Amino acid sequence: ARYNVQDVMLAILNLCLTQLREEVGKLTLDESFSSRERINFALLKDLNAVASTWGVEITRVELQNMEPSRDILSAMELQMAAERKKRAAILRSEGERETFINEAEGRASATIANAEAQKQTVLLRAQAEAERQRLEADGLKTAISILAKTLYDSYGDGYQGGREKESVEGAVQFLSLIRYLETQAAFAESDGTKVLMLPSKNSLPLTYGGLQFMLDDQ
């Protein structure tokens, strides 16, 4: 057989090395070791494009082994170390982000729960105060009714006509007097009391006419 080249085997070898350098140069360091099928296909195409002019057809190219130089190995080690550091930094950043998010969500939940608890506390206090005032008002109403009836019944039939209003007013003034005296007594027992105001005619919540009405035995 005659070819358009003197040493076809050497020519194919040199062409293969040239094309291999070119194809590997197009790839990254990691891709050059993980893309053998891609390199084999590119070499087969490039070799046949030239070898066909020599009267040679190449049917298969198989890259069996790649032995990088020491410089390449050092570069690979540096690249792997940089990649590990990069991944560690990403994982650390993601962990810190998750921590911040969890802490922020925890603070937000605690704030909401605290606000809700304060709201419920204020509501319960308001309801309790309203109930206390209602019970106190009912008790005061009952006390006034009983006392007014007692004052009204203490007079004979001849003196009861038209005195219902005066009985109620007398009952109210009497209860006001009791509350006033209780307040003065509590004030007098306080440890911080330095001045005690004794009641006078003008300070008592009871008019002279009211007192006379209650003591009137006609």
Side-chain angles (χ1 to χ4, degrees):
R2 299 181 63 183
Y3 304 99
N4 291 335
V5 64
Q6 185 176 0
D7 191 344
V8 65
M9 296 299 296
L10 180 60
I12 292 176
L13 177 60
N14 290 332
L15 179 61
C16 182
L17 292 175
T18 301
Q19 295 302 121
L20 179 60
R21 293 189 186 97
E22 181 179 351
E23 292 299 327
V24 171
K26 296 177 182 178
L27 305 174
T28 63
L29 190 58
D30 289 338
E31 291 175 343
S32 63
F33 291 94
S34 61
S35 304
R36 290 191 179 186
E37 292 295 330
R38 176 181 173 182
I39 296 175
N40 291 337
F41 179 79
L43 285 177
L44 180 61
K45 180 180 177 182
D46 293 340
L47 290 175
N48 275 323
V50 177
S52 61
T53 62
W54 301 340
V56 176
E57 181 182 359
I58 301 173
T59 59
R60 182 180 179 185
V61 174
E62 182 178 355
L63 185 62
Q64 295 181 344
N65 188 25
M66 293 184 63
E67 295 181 359
S69 63
R70 291 184 178 180
D71 293 337
I72 297 297
L73 289 176
S74 298
M76 291 176 61
E77 292 176 356
L78 292 175
Q79 182 178 0
M80 292 175 62
E83 186 67 22
R84 285 194 296 267
K85 291 181 180 179
K86 176 182 176 181
R87 292 175 182 175
I90 292 174
L91 292 176
R92 182 171 58 254
S93 176
E94 291 179 350
E96 292 176 352
R97 184 184 66 178
E98 290 296 328
T99 300
F100 291 151
I101 291 175
N102 292 334
E103 290 179 351
E105 290 178 349
R107 288 192 296 268
S109 298
T111 301
I112 294 174
N114 186 40
E116 186 65 24
Q118 291 181 357
K119 175 183 176 182
Q120 291 296 326
T121 300
V122 172
L123 181 60
L124 291 175
R125 287 178 178 174
Q127 291 176 349
E129 179 63 17
E131 182 65 15
R132 184 193 67 79
Q133 292 181 2
R134 186 187 66 80
L135 294 176
E136 185 175 349
D138 290 343
L140 184 60
K141 177 181 178 181
T142 302
I144 291 174
S145 298
I146 295 174
L147 185 57
K149 186 177 183 304
T150 302
L151 291 174
Y152 183 76
D153 293 342
S154 64
Y155 301 101
D157 295 338
Y159 299 97
Q160 289 181 351
R163 308 198 77 178
E164 294 86 351
K165 181 179 180 181
E166 295 179 357
S167 299
V168 173
E169 292 178 352
V172 171
Q173 293 194 32
F174 179 76
L175 292 176
S176 299
L177 175 61
I178 296 299
R179 182 65 59 87
Y180 175 82
L181 295 177
E182 290 175 351
T183 303
Q184 289 294 318
F187 181 75
E189 293 177 357
S190 176
D191 295 336
T193 302
K194 296 181 179 180
V195 179
L196 181 61
M197 303 298 296
L198 297 177
S200 63
K201 181 182 69 174
N202 295 327
S203 63
L204 286 174
L206 182 63
T207 63
Y208 177 76
L211 181 61
Q212 183 180 18
F213 171 77
M214 287 186 292
L215 297 179
D216 191 358
D217 58 352
Q218 294 182 1

